[in-house]
Amino acid sequence: MNIIQKLISELDTQSDHQAEKIIKKLAKYKSRSVPFLLESATLSSQPRVQKWSLLALGQTKDPRALLILIHSLKSERMTIRLQALKGLRLLGNRKSIPAIMALLEDKSGGIRVNALQVLVDLKASRSSQQIVKRLADKQWYVRQAACQACEKLKIVKAIPKIKLLLHDSKKAVQLEAQQALSKLKNHRSSPSAHNS
């Protein structure tokens, strides 16, 4: 067992903090760790090793990680989907956008929020229609994240739907809607503005 394999075996931990420390150590091996991580990222018999390997793959920034991360977004396990999403955020490859957009319909509100945040990081303004749809999500925190996404991606066509959220049942959503509207109205009135 080499040092990379030893570190990967230590990812079988319940501690997020411990896992992050190990992932930092693995990052020093860069692309040399990728073949081992690609293997451990498919170990469904060891779910903890599997989920942390997906996050570690994202940190390598290696293009070989893309397919396994996208494939893992379809896992039945919510924690696997979540770490694959986080791995894709770190990887920063825009080819993952269509697969991430599909998670805007995920049954987990937490996954939907994370998908919105990753789409913002990847500057996925072409997915504006699906993002605007989330302004009517049944979970308030998804509506809040959708407001943020519309603001950051400058989705001006979302303004009428965001206005409806000024009367949302949750104060946090109302505040986010106010902020998004003021930024989007400024953007719309600026000379360089264009409809997303």
Side-chain angles (χ1 to χ4, degrees):
M1 186 185 280
N2 66 29
I3 182 68
I4 295 171
Q5 289 167 307
K6 184 179 182 302
L7 286 168
I8 290 171
S9 72
E10 289 171 15
L11 289 174
D12 193 3
T13 175
Q14 287 184 327
S15 162
D16 292 11
H17 180 67
Q18 184 62 26
E20 282 161 20
K21 277 170 45 178
I22 297 162
I23 289 168
K24 266 192 184 140
K25 289 180 189 174
L26 279 165
K28 292 175 187 163
Y29 294 95
K30 298 189 176 106
S31 58
R32 281 193 314 177
S33 66
V34 172
F36 301 102
L37 286 167
L38 287 171
E39 194 179 319
S40 57
T42 61
L43 285 177
S44 53
S45 59
Q46 290 184 281
R48 288 194 291 253
V49 172
Q50 184 183 17
K51 74 173 184 175
W52 296 124
S53 295
L54 291 164
L55 191 61
L57 276 169
Q59 279 203 327
T60 66
K61 304 266 194 249
D62 192 298
R64 290 175 289 176
L66 182 65
L67 289 179
I68 185 83
L69 286 168
I70 287 175
H71 176 74
S72 300
L73 294 178
K74 294 182 179 136
S75 171
E76 285 179 16
R77 290 175 189 262
M78 195 270 280
T79 54
I80 299 295
R81 297 197 305 279
L82 183 61
Q83 295 308 329
L85 251 179
K86 290 180 175 181
L88 285 166
R89 171 187 255 166
L90 292 167
L91 197 64
N93 189 318
R94 291 177 54 83
K95 288 180 183 168
S96 63
I97 290 173
I100 294 166
M101 274 170 42
L103 289 184
L104 291 177
E105 303 288 340
D106 196 90
K107 60 182 182 275
S108 159
I111 293 285
R112 296 196 300 277
V113 164
N114 276 275
L116 284 164
Q117 291 165 345
V118 178
L119 288 169
V120 167
D121 287 352
L122 294 175
K123 298 180 177 37
S125 51
R126 287 213 177 129
S127 37
S128 62
Q129 198 175 334
Q130 289 90 332
I131 291 169
V132 170
K133 243 176 97 177
R134 295 277 59 92
L135 290 166
D137 198 278
K138 62 180 188 271
Q139 298 289 356
W140 70 268
Y141 51 88
V142 180
R143 297 194 299 276
Q144 182 184 32
C147 278
Q148 290 167 348
C150 289
E151 176 196 324
K152 288 177 180 162
L153 293 173
K154 299 178 175 63
I155 304 172
V156 174
K157 68 180 177 191
I159 289 176
K161 291 250 180 11
I162 295 172
K163 280 182 177 170
L164 298 174
L165 296 179
L166 293 172
H167 308 289
D168 195 89
S169 58
K170 282 282 184 187
K171 186 82 175 147
V173 178
Q174 293 174 22
L175 292 171
E176 201 59 57
Q178 279 175 341
Q179 185 178 316
L181 283 171
S182 70
K183 292 269 174 70
L184 288 170
K185 283 176 181 169
N186 287 341
H187 176 70
R188 187 166 61 181
S189 60
S190 76
S192 62
H194 60 279
N195 235 351
S196 301

